[in-house]
Structures are given as C-alpha cells and as structure tokens.
Amino acid sequence: MLGWIEGIQRAIEYIEDHLTEELNIHEIAEKACVSAFYFQKIFNALCGFTVGEYIRNRRLSLAAQELSKADVKVIDVAVKYGYDSPDSFTRAFTKFHGIPPSTAKLKGANLKLFAPLKIKLILEGGTMLEYKIVEKAQFTVMGRIRSFNTDTSYDEIPKFWQEHLQSEESKVVCGMYGICMDNDGKNLTT
C-alpha cells in the first residue's frame, strides 16, 4: 500500500516539475508504476477531479502569480503555460479566477490559488468498542427546537445548552441529547 501511495506522489511531483512543459499522461502514470488508464481512474477517485483539471488549475494558479508579481506580457505567460492563443488562455483564466489576465496584473486583484497536492493517508476507525444493550423502563421525551447557523453552530449549540441548564426549565428537562436536522426535517446527526 505504501509503495502505491509513494508512486502517486512521485507522479504528482513529476507534474509539478514539468508544468511549463507538454505533459503526457503515459509518462506521468509511469512515475506511479501503473498504466495511464488506471492512474487516471485512481487519481480521479482520490482527488475528485481529473489529471487534466489538476494540471490546468495548477497552471492557471501559477500564471496568476506571475502576472501579479512581474511586469510580463499576457501572451508570454499564456505560451509558457501551454496555451496556443491568448484568447484560449483568457477564457480559461477568466473562468478559473473570475477576472481576465489583464486585471490580474493590477495591484490588489483577487486571485485563486490552487495548491499542489500532497498525498496523506489517514485511516480512522478500526477500533474495537465494547458495548451492551440494556433495557430501560419507559420514560418521557420532550424537546426544544432552535435553529443554528452551520458556520457558527460549534459555538452556538454549547451556549444554548448552557443557557438551558441555568434556566428553570432544566429542573423539568434534566438530561440532554442533541439531534441535528436539515431544513427538510431529515435527521443528519444525533
């Protein structure tokens, strides 16, 4: 398994070292010691985008950095990163960054950075948990509902429970169990 991961990383490093050159999928896959077909399948499954998209995004990211830092011509940057015409470069650049290359040369232009990939394998789970099922006597369940913003819920939900436990209602509702649901009422997490 480790050799396979190292092979994919070698292929990514090869791409990074040759971004200003014409890249061939067979040569890239050779660095991972797999066929071009399997490399493309594996890459897409791991990353969620194709090898071609990765190369294009990296080139457009680097092109933007060059345009924003140096006094270079758009045509020179386009050719350097493999575009045959300024028009095709401008279309791709504008689609990726939301602004044309000429605007990227202006100070303070908002650009996107597409960072190089680094393969890290993290396995979670696989831990043995001991449990037992216990039958409990019948009990009453009551609840409170409150909507939270997903961006700030990590702060808001504990505050909600803290406020509840300090209120008079905590004498009636003594335990707590949170259920998070989406707007359609579908249970997401418990």
Side-chain angles (χ1 to χ4, degrees), residues 3 10 36 46 53 56 72 75 81 105 112 117 119 130-131 140 142 160 182:
R10 274 194 310 272
L46 280 175
E53 289 169 330
R56 182 177 54 251
V72 293
I75 183 70
Y81 289 103
K105 296 178 78 155
K112 293 180 183 172
L117 284 172
I119 302 288
E130 293 184 24
Y131 69 94
T140 303
M142 53 188 283
F160 166 76
D182 64 11

CSV table of all heavy atoms in Angstrom, one decimal, residues 3 10 36 46 53 56 72 75 81 105 112 117 119 130-131 140 142 160 182:
chain,number,residue,atom,x,y,z
A,3,GLY,N,3.9,1.7,-1.1
A,3,GLY,CA,4.5,1.9,-2.4
A,3,GLY,C,3.6,2.5,-3.4
A,3,GLY,O,4.0,3.3,-4.2
A,10,ARG,N,5.0,10.5,-6.4
A,10,ARG,CA,6.0,10.7,-7.4
A,10,ARG,C,5.4,11.3,-8.7
A,10,ARG,O,6.0,12.2,-9.4
A,10,ARG,CB,6.8,9.4,-7.8
A,10,ARG,CG,7.9,9.1,-6.8
A,10,ARG,CD,8.8,8.0,-7.3
A,10,ARG,NE,8.1,6.8,-7.8
A,10,ARG,CZ,7.7,5.8,-7.0
A,10,ARG,NH1,8.0,5.8,-5.7
A,10,ARG,NH2,7.1,4.8,-7.5
A,36,ALA,N,-1.7,4.3,-17.8
A,36,ALA,CA,-2.3,5.6,-17.9
A,36,ALA,C,-3.8,5.5,-17.5
A,36,ALA,O,-4.3,6.3,-16.8
A,36,ALA,CB,-2.1,6.1,-19.3
A,46,LEU,N,-9.3,9.5,-5.9
A,46,LEU,CA,-8.6,10.1,-4.8
A,46,LEU,C,-8.9,11.6,-4.6
A,46,LEU,O,-9.1,12.1,-3.5
A,46,LEU,CB,-7.1,9.9,-4.8
A,46,LEU,CG,-6.5,8.6,-4.4
A,46,LEU,CD1,-5.0,8.6,-4.7
A,46,LEU,CD2,-6.8,8.3,-3.0
A,53,GLU,N,-7.7,18.4,-15.2
A,53,GLU,CA,-8.2,19.5,-14.4
A,53,GLU,C,-7.1,20.0,-13.4
A,53,GLU,O,-6.9,21.2,-13.2
A,53,GLU,CB,-9.5,19.1,-13.7
A,53,GLU,CG,-10.6,19.0,-14.6
A,53,GLU,CD,-11.8,18.3,-13.9
A,53,GLU,OE1,-11.7,17.5,-13.0
A,53,GLU,OE2,-13.0,18.6,-14.3
A,56,ARG,N,-4.4,21.9,-15.4
A,56,ARG,CA,-5.0,23.2,-15.8
A,56,ARG,C,-5.1,24.1,-14.6
A,56,ARG,O,-4.6,25.3,-14.7
A,56,ARG,CB,-6.3,23.0,-16.5
A,56,ARG,CG,-6.9,24.3,-17.0
A,56,ARG,CD,-8.2,24.1,-17.7
A,56,ARG,NE,-9.2,23.4,-17.0
A,56,ARG,CZ,-9.6,22.2,-17.3
A,56,ARG,NH1,-9.1,21.5,-18.3
A,56,ARG,NH2,-10.5,21.6,-16.5
A,72,VAL,N,5.1,41.2,-16.9
A,72,VAL,CA,5.2,40.3,-18.1
A,72,VAL,C,4.0,40.5,-19.0
A,72,VAL,O,3.0,41.0,-18.6
A,72,VAL,CB,5.3,38.8,-17.6
A,72,VAL,CG1,6.6,38.5,-16.8
A,72,VAL,CG2,4.1,38.5,-16.7
A,75,ILE,N,0.6,37.3,-23.2
A,75,ILE,CA,0.9,36.3,-24.3
A,75,ILE,C,2.0,35.4,-23.9
A,75,ILE,O,2.0,34.2,-24.1
A,75,ILE,CB,1.1,37.0,-25.7
A,75,ILE,CG1,1.3,35.9,-26.7
A,75,ILE,CG2,2.3,37.9,-25.6
A,75,ILE,CD1,0.1,35.1,-27.1
A,81,TYR,N,2.6,28.5,-20.2
A,81,TYR,CA,1.7,27.5,-19.5
A,81,TYR,C,0.9,26.7,-20.5
A,81,TYR,O,-0.1,26.1,-20.1
A,81,TYR,CB,0.9,28.1,-18.4
A,81,TYR,CG,1.8,28.5,-17.2
A,81,TYR,CD1,2.1,29.9,-17.0
A,81,TYR,CD2,2.3,27.6,-16.4
A,81,TYR,CE1,3.0,30.2,-16.0
A,81,TYR,CE2,3.1,27.9,-15.3
A,81,TYR,CZ,3.5,29.2,-15.2
A,81,TYR,OH,4.3,29.6,-14.1
A,105,LYS,N,-3.0,41.7,-13.3
A,105,LYS,CA,-1.8,42.5,-13.3
A,105,LYS,C,-2.0,43.7,-12.3
A,105,LYS,O,-1.0,44.3,-11.9
A,105,LYS,CB,-1.4,42.9,-14.6
A,105,LYS,CG,-1.0,41.8,-15.6
A,105,LYS,CD,-0.7,42.2,-16.9
A,105,LYS,CE,0.7,42.7,-16.9
A,105,LYS,NZ,1.5,42.7,-18.1
A,112,LYS,N,-7.3,33.3,-7.3
A,112,LYS,CA,-7.5,32.0,-6.7
A,112,LYS,C,-6.1,31.2,-6.7
A,112,LYS,O,-5.4,31.3,-7.7
A,112,LYS,CB,-8.5,31.2,-7.3
A,112,LYS,CG,-9.9,31.8,-7.2
A,112,LYS,CD,-10.9,30.9,-7.9
A,112,LYS,CE,-12.3,31.6,-7.8
A,112,LYS,NZ,-13.3,30.9,-8.6
A,117,LEU,N,-0.9,19.2,-4.8
A,117,LEU,CA,-1.4,18.0,-4.0
A,117,LEU,C,-0.2,17.4,-3.2
A,117,LEU,O,0.9,17.3,-3.7
A,117,LEU,CB,-2.0,17.0,-4.9
A,117,LEU,CG,-3.4,17.3,-5.5
A,117,LEU,CD1,-3.8,16.2,-6.5
A,117,LEU,CD2,-4.4,17.3,-4.4
A,119,ILE,N,-0.1,13.7,-1.0
A,119,ILE,CA,-0.9,12.6,-0.6
A,119,ILE,C,-0.6,12.2,0.8
A,119,ILE,O,0.6,12.1,1.2
A,119,ILE,CB,-0.5,11.3,-1.5
A,119,ILE,CG1,-0.8,11.6,-3.0
A,119,ILE,CG2,-1.3,10.1,-1.0
A,119,ILE,CD1,-2.3,11.7,-3.4
A,130,GLU,N,-16.4,-1.9,23.0
A,130,GLU,CA,-17.3,-2.8,23.7
A,130,GLU,C,-18.6,-2.1,24.1
A,130,GLU,O,-18.5,-1.0,24.5
A,130,GLU,CB,-16.5,-3.3,25.0
A,130,GLU,CG,-15.3,-4.2,24.7
A,130,GLU,CD,-14.7,-4.8,25.9
A,130,GLU,OE1,-15.4,-4.9,26.9
A,130,GLU,OE2,-13.5,-5.1,25.8
A,131,TYR,N,-19.7,-2.8,24.0
A,131,TYR,CA,-20.9,-2.2,24.3
A,131,TYR,C,-21.9,-3.3,24.8
A,131,TYR,O,-21.6,-4.5,24.6
A,131,TYR,CB,-21.6,-1.5,23.2
A,131,TYR,CG,-22.0,-2.3,22.0
A,131,TYR,CD1,-23.3,-2.8,22.0
A,131,TYR,CD2,-21.1,-2.7,21.0
A,131,TYR,CE1,-23.8,-3.6,20.9
A,131,TYR,CE2,-21.5,-3.5,20.0
A,131,TYR,CZ,-22.9,-4.0,19.9
A,131,TYR,OH,-23.3,-4.8,18.9
A,140,THR,N,-40.4,9.5,29.4
A,140,THR,CA,-41.0,10.6,28.6
A,140,THR,C,-39.8,11.4,27.9
A,140,THR,O,-38.8,11.7,28.6
A,140,THR,CB,-41.8,11.5,29.4
A,140,THR,OG1,-42.8,10.7,30.1
A,140,THR,CG2,-42.5,12.6,28.6
A,142,MET,N,-39.1,14.9,25.9
A,142,MET,CA,-39.7,16.2,25.4
A,142,MET,C,-38.5,17.0,24.8
A,142,MET,O,-37.3,16.6,25.0
A,142,MET,CB,-40.3,17.0,26.6
A,142,MET,CG,-39.4,17.1,27.8
A,142,MET,SD,-40.2,17.8,29.2
A,142,MET,CE,-40.3,19.5,28.8
A,160,PHE,N,-26.3,27.3,23.9
A,160,PHE,CA,-27.8,27.0,24.0
A,160,PHE,C,-28.0,26.1,25.2
A,160,PHE,O,-28.8,26.3,26.0
A,160,PHE,CB,-28.3,26.4,22.7
A,160,PHE,CG,-29.6,25.7,22.8
A,160,PHE,CD1,-30.8,26.4,22.9
A,160,PHE,CD2,-29.7,24.3,22.9
A,160,PHE,CE1,-32.0,25.8,23.0
A,160,PHE,CE2,-30.9,23.7,23.0
A,160,PHE,CZ,-32.1,24.4,23.0
A,182,ASP,N,-31.6,18.8,9.0
A,182,ASP,CA,-31.6,19.9,8.0
A,182,ASP,C,-33.0,20.6,7.9
A,182,ASP,O,-33.9,20.3,8.7
A,182,ASP,CB,-31.2,19.3,6.6
A,182,ASP,CG,-32.2,18.3,6.1
A,182,ASP,OD1,-33.3,18.2,6.6
A,182,ASP,OD2,-31.8,17.6,5.1
